[in-house]
Amino acid sequence: MEGKEEDVKVGANKFAERQPIGTAAQSQDKDYKEPPPAPLLEPGELKSWSFYRAGIAEFMATFLFLYISILTVMGVVKSSSKCSTVGIQGIAWAFGGMIFALVYCTAGISGGHINPAVTFGLLLARKLSLVRALFYMVMQCLGAICGAGVVKGFQTGLYETNGGGANVVAPGYTKGDGLGAEIIGTFILVYTVFSATDAKRNARDSHVPILAPLPIGFAVFLVHLATIPITGTGINPARSLGAAIIYNRRHAWDDMWIFWVGPFCGAALAAIYHQIVIRAIPFKSRP
């Protein structure tokens, strides 16, 4: 029996876990150092061309995002038979696919936010300055307005008679239902953004290749599948604002607060959950 027990001990040491998991993995930093938080105010950014280049990238990305997504929505709603169109699944793919492509294209320039809620969540996590965050949000909203405007320009009558892609709470649901759907949907998106772009995770799990835009785009796709029947899926205040301004009907403005409060609350919860619960940053000792 003693020999067998010795064999077990030798085997346990010989075939130890190659890749620590759970909290054991978190203790291995692999030479990773937590970057300092971005300053809240950084006026020097205003003198840098890269600052304005990033804002232009956010404008163009949100413009293209609204153009493709709203045009897809118009193609679906104008048809009397949804079987002859791409349907809800196609709309969800248009939104998710465009986010995948645009985040891939702009991540190295602006970070590829394309969404004021994402920008707000990253601001709370001190990933960018307040000046840059406000600039991004303005450019995102302007891009969304222009994107929806181009779609309306193609066929004004069709655009105005088919809802203009504006977000509203669907009949049969309360405003509370719509708000809850927006909060949870945005939480999923922003939590995915934090996880996919976590530098420490990338350093620790360098053996697992990951293309960050892919899970982000897929999260957008899944959230749209779930919440299109409820609110048309906002989870992006710029997208909701751009469509509402160009469509400009009273019922498009009645629920607008839901598509700002909901995404911002969801983004804040995702930032708190990732930074405090998952990363435990406030509890780490500073050197």
Side-chain angles (χ1 to χ4, degrees):
M1 291 295 293
E2 292 181 0
K4 290 184 178 180
E5 290 180 359
E6 186 66 21
D7 290 341
V8 171
K9 292 179 181 179
V10 171
N13 293 329
K14 183 177 181 180
F15 301 103
E17 189 68 37
R18 293 183 179 181
Q19 180 65 26
I21 58 176
T23 54
Q26 294 177 356
S27 64
Q28 294 195 355
D29 291 341
K30 288 191 175 181
D31 299 326
Y32 173 80
K33 293 183 179 180
E34 195 73 42
L40 190 60
L41 296 175
E42 194 170 7
E45 286 184 319
L46 299 175
K47 301 178 182 179
S48 171
W49 164 242
S50 63
F51 174 79
Y52 297 100
R53 181 185 63 180
I56 294 171
E58 287 293 311
F59 171 88
M60 283 301 300
T62 316
F63 167 80
L64 295 173
F65 175 59
L66 264 288
Y67 170 74
I68 293 296
S69 57
I70 299 299
L71 201 58
T72 304
V73 172
M74 292 295 98
V76 172
V77 299
K78 76 174 184 179
S79 177
S80 57
S81 173
K82 297 298 182 287
C83 294
S84 63
T85 68
V86 295
I88 288 180
Q89 292 86 352
I91 294 174
W93 273 120
F95 279 88
M98 279 304 290
I99 287 297
F100 166 68
L102 293 170
V103 171
Y104 180 83
C105 292
T106 61
I109 303 171
S110 65
H113 297 188
I114 323 172
N115 186 337
V118 171
T119 300
F120 180 68
L122 294 173
L123 172 65
L124 293 182
R126 302 294 298 276
K127 302 294 185 181
L128 73 167
S129 68
L130 177 62
V131 174
R132 183 176 291 265
L134 293 175
F135 183 49
Y136 277 14
M137 291 181 189
V138 170
M139 297 300 282
Q140 289 158 359
C141 290
L142 291 176
I145 294 169
C146 293
V150 170
V151 175
K152 182 178 180 179
F154 285 158
Q155 287 183 308
T156 303
L158 177 65
Y159 183 89
E160 293 181 345
T161 56
N162 287 281
N167 290 121
V168 294
V169 177
Y173 294 95
T174 67
K175 294 187 184 298
D177 296 334
L179 181 63
E182 289 296 307
I183 291 174
I184 296 172
T186 312
F187 177 91
I188 294 170
L189 169 60
V190 178
Y191 177 44
T192 303
V193 169
F194 273 109
S195 298
T197 60
D198 189 342
K200 181 176 182 179
R201 177 178 178 176
N202 293 336
R204 188 186 69 217
D205 300 335
S206 57
H207 65 291
V208 181
I210 183 171
L211 182 63
L214 181 59
I216 296 171
F218 202 64
V220 171
F221 164 69
L222 293 175
V223 171
H224 275 76
L225 280 183
T227 60
I228 282 177
I230 304 174
T231 62
T233 308
I235 67 171
N236 185 332
R239 173 259 186 273
S240 301
L241 180 66
I245 287 178
I246 299 302
Y247 182 54
N248 198 26
R249 294 290 187 274
R250 180 176 178 179
H251 66 274
W253 292 108
D254 288 342
D255 298 335
M256 180 54 57
W257 66 272
I258 292 174
F259 301 102
W260 280 84
V261 174
F264 273 52
C265 288
L269 291 173
I272 292 170
Y273 177 68
H274 185 268
Q275 296 295 97
I276 296 179
V277 178
I278 301 300
R279 291 294 308 280
I281 289 178
F283 308 107
K284 291 180 179 178
S285 58
R286 297 292 180 182

